[in-house]
Amino acid sequence: EVQLVESGGGLVQPGGSLRLSCAASGFTFSSYWMHWVRQAPGKGLVWVSRINSDGSSTYYADSVKGRFTISRDNANNTLYLQMNSLRADDTAVYYCARDRGFRGYFDYWGQGTLFTVSS
Amino acid sequence: EIVMTQSPATLSVSPGKRATLSCRASQSVSSNLAWYQQKPGQAPRLLIYGASTRATGIPARFSGSGSGTEFTLTISSLQSEDFAVYYCQEYNNWPRLTFGGGTKVEIK
């Protein structure tokens, strides 16, 4: 069974940093592109970032470019999102999601982890 | 930048009736469109990809159609478990991916 389990959420002050993790199991993690998608409270889904199978290629939404870094550890089946210079509008539930087949849509999602940026 | 517009924002439907949800792209996305269902407190679930292909395990009452800029998700006979928010998402404008704002399907 495919499972994606995010962790690392919490409360962070504006300007602070946080790293989210997503532990993957039930599939060959190193064969799949992975994404982060976020959802502000009561709002819709917003794509954040993508990483290819071996971690050599990454892409970001304009709203997070230069502040967030996506990475992966294929040996430990874990996806990461390092977030710096955090702002109040980064407050959201962050989901990791598996790319179905190098196409850009998502067949499995984690349960999400919430973090709040507030002083 | 592609803008995905979903309508209506809220759809009130009686159980057993048909629901028709629309998604419009500001420019052509070919058939590179997916639909997701999200229930409160849960992660989204993939329903449709390629505009009309049901994902694994999705009931046949869900169907997708359209291409280019106009897309439709139809739920032929609403069941109690179908009341949720539905999102469309384009994946033609690679590597950027864009979701629509969502349609909430509520019980009438």
Side-chain angles (χ1 to χ4, degrees):
Chain A
E1 178 191 6
V2 172
Q3 284 198 320
L4 299 169
V5 180
E6 301 94 338
S7 61
L11 177 63
V12 182
Q13 291 190 336
S17 298
L18 195 68
R19 188 177 80 161
L20 304 181
S21 300
C22 171
S25 61
F27 65 103
T28 304
F29 180 69
S30 59
S31 297
Y32 287 84
W33 293 359
M34 297 294 295
H35 300 256
W36 288 98
V37 177
R38 70 185 181 183
Q39 186 170 37
K43 302 297 184 181
L45 301 167
V46 177
W47 173 79
V48 172
S49 182
R50 186 223 85 183
I51 189 167
N52 69 345
S53 306
D54 65 6
S56 62
S57 175
T58 58
Y59 288 99
Y60 301 91
D62 289 343
S63 59
V64 306
K65 193 178 299 183
R67 301 187 300 123
F68 289 13
T69 301
I70 190 172
S71 62
R72 65 191 298 161
D73 180 350
N74 285 344
N76 290 296
N77 296 334
T78 304
L79 176 72
Y80 300 102
L81 186 67
Q82 176 68 42
M83 302 178 292
N84 300 327
S85 303
L86 286 165
R87 312 185 303 223
D89 62 358
D90 293 318
T91 295
V93 173
Y94 283 72
Y95 296 100
C96 65
R98 190 180 83 167
D99 193 300
R100 186 180 183 274
F102 318 114
R103 296 302 312 277
Y105 60 92
F106 319 111
D107 60 352
Y108 286 94
W109 299 65
Q111 86 288 351
T113 187
L114 169 67
F115 81 87
T116 302
V117 182
S118 175
S119 55
Chain B
E1 177 190 350
I2 293 180
V3 176
M4 305 298 292
T5 303
Q6 290 187 242
S7 62
T10 303
L11 185 62
S12 298
V13 185
S14 300
K17 299 298 186 182
R18 174 186 296 258
T20 302
L21 290 66
S22 295
C23 175
R24 175 177 293 176
S26 60
Q27 63 189 76
S28 176
V29 298
S30 187
S31 294
N32 295 316
L33 186 106
W35 289 94
Y36 302 88
Q37 175 194 68
Q38 187 179 34
K39 297 179 181 179
Q42 296 185 17
R45 176 175 70 145
L46 177 66
L47 298 176
I48 301 284
Y49 61 92
S52 61
T53 303
R54 278 190 301 277
T56 302
I58 301 303
R61 64 180 181 272
F62 291 92
S63 63
S65 63
S67 66
T69 62
E70 300 283 345
F71 300 88
T72 300
L73 175 69
T74 301
I75 311 171
S76 60
S77 176
L78 272 163
Q79 306 298 303
S80 57
E81 62 267 29
D82 300 335
F83 292 96
V85 180
Y86 293 82
Y87 293 94
C88 62
Q89 178 235 328
E90 67 81 23
Y91 49 96
N92 192 67
N93 191 33
W94 193 249
R96 285 175 175 76
L97 307 171
T98 306
F99 290 89
T103 291
K104 181 180 181 181
V105 178
E106 64 177 25
I107 300 174
K108 185 173 182 180

